[in-house]
Amino acid sequence: MHLFLKTLYMLTVMVMTGMMMVLVLLCTPDFHMRLSHGFYRQTDLTYSQFVMQSLDNPGIYVAEVSVDVEELPERVPVKREAAWDYSGNNTGYLKIHLDYGRPQHEPWAGKTGCMGLRVGFARRRTLPRTALASFPGSGNTWLRYLIQSATGLFTGSVYIDRELAAKGFYGENEIPECGCTIVVKTHGYCLGGLPEDREQRVKDMDKFFGRGLLLLRNPYDTLIAYRNYLSAGHLGVAGPAAFRGADWARFVYGQMDVWRAYALDWITLGRSVLVVHYEHLLEDPQRELHNILQFLRLRPERPRLQCVMTNLDGAFRRATPDNIFYRL
């Protein structure tokens, strides 16, 4: 009888321990997404009931309207914006729900006046899906650093770059549909060449419901930066041979068509697009960040903006030597 009671006690402890483990997993913010990670990649059910808001009537929500882009006239963007939950205040600012159970990053660790300001994830499916679209070499990574630092929210990407993730871009490990990052980096069809089919050209844009930031940079500097990246990585500078000869000429003429088409597609077919000029960002970063925050419907935080202004470069802004031969 004594052995029976001991066995019964051990079984009871094991069952209770198992139930506690299941309860902890169910309460873990990442559990549901990890369990269904593959499913979300196959379907778009997370946003199948995505809410749309009229630009002319803030606060009034209507069902999503399916629009065939083939029927849209050229250069006439749809006057609708992918929106999310603005309830709970009358300011029009996006209501942020931070996920404190996930990793955070401190971009200015050890710097006086900026310590303690962190970047984190929002709770899953609480942010609208917004693209950060650009041709490669336009300064996308630098702008992501500025946006992350100014908002306190991670940016995402349709790609996975382990080098960026190691530098504090934790959103690299997230799928674009998570709804937990403030913007999502995409180069669209730029990496694969200009598609002949118009439907293929807007396919990537439709993933973001036509909403996004479009980063444009002088094409001369863009192609040089892209060539540097292809030859020497994120921060390297390619040698003179990369900018001479027939291969360089083919690269320039081919990529210029893609640069132009990608910019025009977002400008003419996007539903809600803010064009950000890289040169304006260099000239007056504070003004441009205010415009970006307004577009994203985020309330500016003075301490963060002050720290951004005193730490503009970040870890991934390529420094080009003054004596480089292709500088005009």
Side-chain angles (χ1 to χ4, degrees):
M1 189 66 179
H2 179 69
L3 181 61
F4 173 75
L5 290 175
K6 185 180 292 187
T7 304
L8 183 62
Y9 173 76
M10 292 179 63
L11 288 174
T12 303
V13 171
M14 292 172 63
V15 171
M16 293 297 293
T17 303
M19 292 177 63
M20 289 297 295
M21 291 177 64
V22 171
L23 183 62
V24 169
L25 285 174
L26 290 175
C27 293
T28 302
D30 287 345
F31 178 70
H32 175 264
M33 204 63 175
R34 289 174 182 174
L35 184 67
S36 53
H37 185 275
F39 177 73
Y40 284 150
R41 283 194 179 275
Q42 297 297 324
T43 68
D44 200 24
L45 294 181
T46 308
Y47 279 74
S48 62
Q49 302 296 325
F50 200 79
V51 181
M52 304 286 290
Q53 180 185 36
S54 169
L55 287 176
D56 300 323
N57 300 283
I60 299 177
Y61 295 84
V62 295
E64 178 180 357
V65 179
S66 178
V67 180
D68 185 357
V69 294
E70 295 292 340
E71 298 177 358
L72 295 177
E74 290 284 354
R75 301 180 180 274
V76 181
V78 179
K79 292 278 188 178
R80 304 184 72 78
E81 176 189 12
W84 207 246
D85 180 17
Y86 299 99
S87 61
N89 61 62
N90 297 318
T91 62
Y93 292 123
L94 190 63
K95 197 171 183 179
I96 303 299
H97 303 275
L98 291 177
D99 190 343
Y100 294 102
R102 305 200 60 199
Q104 297 182 346
H105 174 66
E106 191 172 346
W108 307 299
K111 295 193 176 182
T112 304
C114 299
M115 291 186 295
L117 293 176
R118 296 183 175 88
V119 180
F121 287 101
R123 294 180 188 173
R124 299 186 187 280
R125 292 180 288 177
T126 61
L127 292 178
R129 197 186 309 168
T130 305
L132 175 53
S134 69
F135 187 91
S138 300
N140 193 301
T141 306
W142 180 47
L143 180 54
R144 285 179 66 187
Y145 159 75
L146 295 177
I147 291 175
Q148 286 191 171
S149 304
T151 65
L153 295 166
F154 283 118
T155 61
S157 175
V158 299
Y159 320 104
I160 298 178
D161 191 322
R162 301 300 181 189
E163 186 180 359
L164 289 178
K167 293 288 186 178
F169 292 82
Y170 295 169
E172 288 290 317
N173 299 320
E174 280 292 345
I175 60 174
E177 298 84 2
C178 77
C180 60
T181 54
I182 190 61
V183 294
V184 179
K185 168 187 175 180
T186 178
H187 296 313
Y189 56 74
C190 296
L191 302 180
L194 180 61
E196 295 182 3
D197 189 349
R198 181 179 174 186
E199 183 177 345
Q200 291 298 317
R201 282 168 37 205
V202 300
K203 185 177 181 180
D204 185 71
M205 189 188 307
D206 287 344
K207 292 179 181 178
F208 300 95
F209 307 95
R211 171 184 167 86
L213 300 167
L214 174 64
L215 177 61
L216 292 182
R217 184 181 186 182
N218 182 306
Y220 176 87
D221 290 323
T222 300
L223 294 186
I224 288 176
Y226 189 23
R227 192 72 161 184
N228 279 326
Y229 168 74
L230 293 175
S231 302
H234 280 291
L235 300 178
V237 177
F243 303 94
R244 293 172 178 164
D247 182 61
W248 169 240
R250 284 193 298 270
F251 177 84
V252 170
Y253 286 115
Q255 296 300 326
M256 274 307 307
D257 287 339
V258 180
W259 183 95
R260 176 180 179 275
Y262 191 64
L264 288 176
D265 282 346
W266 268 99
I267 291 171
T268 60
L269 300 176
R271 295 177 177 178
S272 180
V273 181
L274 175 66
V275 178
V276 180
H277 292 278
Y278 179 85
E279 290 75 18
H280 295 171
L281 201 59
L282 285 176
E283 178 184 339
D284 193 343
Q286 185 167 351
R287 179 193 63 197
E288 294 302 308
L289 279 176
H290 272 289
N291 292 338
I292 292 171
L293 291 175
Q294 184 178 9
F295 175 79
L296 297 174
R297 300 200 176 184
L298 294 175
R299 189 188 304 274
E301 297 182 28
R302 186 181 299 274
R304 286 189 175 277
L305 289 177
Q306 289 176 345
C307 288
V308 171
M309 292 302 105
T310 55
N311 301 278
L312 281 172
D313 286 348
F316 271 96
R317 185 180 173 193
R318 181 183 288 106
T320 304
D322 293 334
N323 61 345
I324 204 74
F325 80 97
Y326 51 68
R327 275 287 181 218
L328 293 179

